Amino acid sequence: MKFDSYKRVVFFTAVASIAFAVACGKKETKVSEIGQGEGEVSIVAWPGYIERGETDKGYDWVTEFEKSTGCKVNVKTAATSDEMVALMNEGGFDLVTASGDASLRLVAGGKVQEINVDLIPSWKNVDSRLQNAPWHTVDGKHYGVPYQWGPNVLMYNTKVFKKAPTSWNVVFEEQVLPDGKSNKGRVQAFDGPIYIADAALYLKVAKPELGIQDPYELDEKQYNAVIELLKKQRQLVPKYWHDAMVQVDDFKKEGLVASSTWPFQVNLLVSEKQPVASIVPVEGATGWADSTMLHKDSKHVNCAYKWMEHSLSPKVQGDLASWFGSVPSVPAACKGNALLGDTGCAVNGFNNFEKISFWRTPKEDCSGGRKCVPYKKWAEDYISIIGSK
């Protein structure tokens, strides 16, 4: 995402916070029945989330949907949650696969509508850990349909690291790596303000005296320590990533040896016989639990509901989990899927749900009556850090 887009996102974040009371107090109506499809549906999605066999013929959960419903699927990929919020604010889209650091902003800003789960037969099959998750459920109302979830892993070059690195310090602290060379200029970091939480999670273990309990709830002292760490990291990072496919190319051509990433990039590089692997370090990992959300002004509501039902089929869920390296929101997808295999869910972290610090939007009012640093400040400071050097 370009720098100007980030400035726009900061504005939208401020608008969303102002609009919260209005949005929550507004009378809402939800769809009461599904009619004839309108012929198309437009979706903002993460790269790799909606495949029609163009990258790999074995991964296609769009073509059959279009044939059976008559709803053509149009996809706009977004590289960060902030970009998704900006696109949904601009309008013109029906659905978005929003992570937890975007979903409540969209609810607060009045940009998405309540989902009538009674119109989605497969809702009953959704993992019980996700059905009422706080990143898409507000005051008992559902504003999203769980899609996939997973961790942000540490990807590393197996020629440099004969043994897997055990800590995130390889990307946060300047050091000599096992090949005898410095990590300076050879590591990457995510180009999004929510990455501040990754640094906070690292300091939670590295500097326990800071008393960090939740990487999304940082008081001023904790936050300042995290920002200082990120400023030091800036001297190590030659290029920040936000485009998954660009990061894949960077690891093949730019001499990079370690970075936070999604399992998607790891899977692609491994499939191309590149010397990479991934791990969740001792400090744990941040992660994402994504929900499909419906724009309040959607012009293709019927096709949108048909897509949400389709997205919960065990076949789609299993194929997507295999492709992206994620975990299905429908446990039934974990068995009998030819692409995922019967061990795929375990490999992708099905049992690590409680160990992941899922993305969510930082707020000023946080637990224990404390005052924490809100997301608007996160966005402003992270832009400044990336723009320095």
Side-chain angles (χ1 to χ4, degrees):
M1 184 164 38
K2 296 180 179 178
F3 183 77
D4 286 347
S5 297
Y6 263 129
K7 290 193 291 187
R8 178 177 60 184
V9 167
V10 172
F11 166 76
F12 281 131
T13 302
V15 170
S17 63
I18 293 171
F20 185 84
V22 176
C24 290
K26 186 175 64 173
K27 258 194 167 182
E28 299 174 340
T29 57
K30 58 183 178 182
V31 177
S32 59
E33 61 180 359
I34 300 175
Q36 185 71 27
E38 301 88 352
E40 62 179 311
V41 61
S42 181
I43 309 173
V44 178
W46 292 106
Y49 254 20
I50 299 178
E51 293 289 313
R52 60 166 69 248
E54 294 170 333
T55 308
D56 185 319
K57 291 182 180 178
Y59 295 89
D60 180 359
W61 43 93
V62 172
T63 302
E64 184 56 40
F65 170 79
E66 291 179 332
K67 288 180 179 178
S68 63
T69 65
C71 299
K72 183 179 185 301
V73 177
N74 304 305
V75 180
K76 168 69 175 177
T77 58
T80 68
S81 289
D82 289 341
E83 189 176 357
M84 287 185 173
V85 172
L87 288 168
M88 290 294 279
N89 272 301
E90 289 173 3
F93 300 97
D94 301 297
L95 297 168
V96 61
T97 59
S99 296
D101 60 326
S103 53
L104 292 184
R105 277 188 280 164
L106 292 170
V107 175
K111 294 301 177 182
V112 292
Q113 58 180 279
E114 181 184 357
I115 302 297
N116 187 344
V117 298
D118 292 335
L119 299 180
I120 303 175
S122 295
W123 176 267
K124 64 181 181 297
N125 301 324
V126 171
D127 192 326
S128 60
R129 298 175 296 184
L130 298 171
Q131 284 190 348
N132 298 297
W135 47 84
H136 68 77
T137 308
V138 178
D139 295 332
K141 298 178 180 179
H142 299 291
Y143 290 87
V145 174
Y147 195 47
Q148 295 272 297
W149 61 273
N152 296 310
V153 297
L154 173 60
M155 177 166 62
Y156 61 93
N157 184 299
T158 55
K159 290 184 176 180
V160 173
F161 296 92
K162 301 300 183 183
K163 293 183 178 180
T166 59
S167 171
W168 286 107
N169 66 4
V170 297
V171 296
F172 284 119
E173 311 277 2
E174 186 171 1
Q175 61 190 267
V176 176
L177 299 179
D179 63 354
K181 301 176 184 178
S182 171
N183 61 344
K184 189 172 184 178
R186 305 168 73 197
V187 299
Q188 277 191 332
F190 184 54
D191 181 5
I194 202 64
Y195 185 71
I196 290 174
D198 289 61
L201 192 65
Y202 168 65
L203 287 185
K204 178 181 178 181
V205 175
K207 291 190 175 182
E209 65 271 18
L210 289 171
I212 295 174
Q213 298 298 316
D214 185 325
Y216 305 101
E217 295 190 352
L218 304 174
D219 62 29
E220 189 171 353
K221 180 181 178 181
Q222 295 166 342
Y223 179 80
N224 289 339
V226 173
I227 292 299
E228 284 306 308
L229 175 65
L230 290 167
K231 286 179 178 178
K232 291 179 181 178
Q233 186 195 46
R234 181 68 185 93
Q235 304 309 309
L236 307 177
V237 177
K239 179 182 179 182
Y240 289 79
W241 77 272
H242 64 258
D243 185 303
M245 301 307 296
V246 172
Q247 190 189 35
V248 167
D249 286 339
D250 287 345
F251 259 73
K252 290 190 290 189
K253 303 174 183 177
E254 302 297 329
L256 297 169
V257 299
S259 177
S260 65
T261 193
W262 303 325
F264 174 65
Q265 289 95 301
V266 179
N267 285 353
L268 275 181
L269 286 164
V270 169
S271 72
E272 295 178 12
K273 310 298 183 185
Q274 295 296 313
V276 302
S278 66
I279 191 172
V280 173
V282 294
E283 299 90 357
T286 59
W288 29 269
D290 298 338
S291 308
T292 305
M293 309 183 84
L294 178 61
H295 198 288
K296 71 177 183 66
D297 296 325
S298 169
K299 297 184 182 303
H300 310 103
V301 172
N302 296 322
C303 280
Y305 265 84
K306 291 176 186 293
W307 174 264
M308 287 187 284
E309 168 63 18
H310 173 72
S311 75
L312 294 180
S313 77
K315 179 71 165 66
V316 171
Q317 286 282 312
D319 288 1
L320 173 54
S322 171
W323 175 249
F324 203 84
S326 50
V327 182
S329 66
V330 175
C334 294
K335 296 295 181 183
N337 184 283
L339 297 173
L340 183 62
D342 286 350
T343 62
C345 283
V347 170
N348 292 355
F350 184 87
N351 297 317
N352 293 333
F353 189 87
E354 301 299 333
K355 299 178 183 178
I356 299 173
S357 297
F358 289 104
W359 282 351
R360 70 176 192 273
T361 304
K363 299 184 296 181
E364 185 173 19
D365 296 322
C366 52
S367 61
R370 297 184 304 137
K371 289 293 183 183
C372 292
V373 179
Y375 186 78
K376 181 177 183 294
K377 179 67 172 168
W378 285 39
E380 290 171 346
D381 288 342
Y382 203 65
I383 291 167
S384 178
I385 290 170
I386 291 178
S388 64
K389 194 177 179 179

